[in-house]
Amino acid sequence: MVVHEPDLRRGQRESGTMPMLTRCEEIMREVCQDFEAELKQFNGEEDHVHLLVHYPPKVQLSRLVNSLKGVSSRYLRKEYDAHVRRYLRGGHFWSGSYFAGSCGGAPLTVVRQYIENQQRPV
């Protein structure tokens, strides 16, 4: 099954930077590997990221998303502490919400194109 997860939101706009998004992608790829999942596409804007993840049926989506958020939050806070601290809202890096939608009906090329066309910060 392939899931498109847009809108893993962080505290405020402009909290993300290009190096931080690149590192976030690396971390999320590692987390996906731990779940025997594959991060097929990643892109982000200043305040959220978009993921296209292929994961096996045995994986609970909520556990995967919680790990993606939790692990990335820990590493990014540690590695970009001074920058991240300015944008935390209530001490949280990610909001508690997310959106996941199955894209079984849409061609993967359409979903990938949507993710690629997001405006990544400079």
Side-chain angles (χ1 to χ4, degrees):
M1 177 185 273
V2 177
V3 174
H4 177 218
E5 296 176 15
D7 220 15
L8 295 169
R9 293 204 175 266
R10 293 185 296 249
Q12 288 186 345
R13 288 192 80 49
E14 299 187 21
S15 57
T17 64
M18 184 60 108
M20 201 162 107
L21 279 174
T22 300
R23 180 63 179 130
C24 184
E25 179 178 2
E26 293 169 357
I27 294 165
M28 290 188 169
R29 283 191 189 285
E30 292 173 13
V31 170
C32 284
Q33 287 176 350
D34 291 344
F35 279 82
E36 299 176 14
E38 181 183 0
L39 181 57
K40 293 209 171 257
Q41 195 73 35
F42 177 96
N43 205 347
E45 296 185 32
E46 295 169 334
D47 63 346
H48 64 282
V49 297
H50 297 261
L51 310 173
L52 179 62
V53 179
H54 181 269
Y55 64 95
K58 67 181 180 180
V59 172
Q60 290 180 339
L61 180 60
S62 60
R63 290 191 65 211
L64 174 59
V65 171
N66 285 337
S67 289
L68 288 166
K69 289 174 154 187
V71 173
S72 63
S73 175
R74 281 192 299 279
Y75 279 102
L76 294 173
R77 283 171 179 238
K78 182 178 177 182
E79 296 171 21
Y80 296 91
D81 181 57
H83 180 78
V84 168
R85 208 172 329 128
R86 293 192 327 225
Y87 296 101
L88 291 179
R89 184 178 288 164
H92 299 287
F93 186 78
W94 299 107
S95 76
S97 64
Y98 65 93
F99 170 80
S102 172
C103 56
L108 285 180
T109 55
V110 172
V111 177
R112 283 184 175 170
Q113 184 179 20
Y114 169 77
I115 293 171
E116 288 172 357
N117 288 330
Q118 301 307 303
Q119 298 297 321
R120 209 169 189 159
V122 180

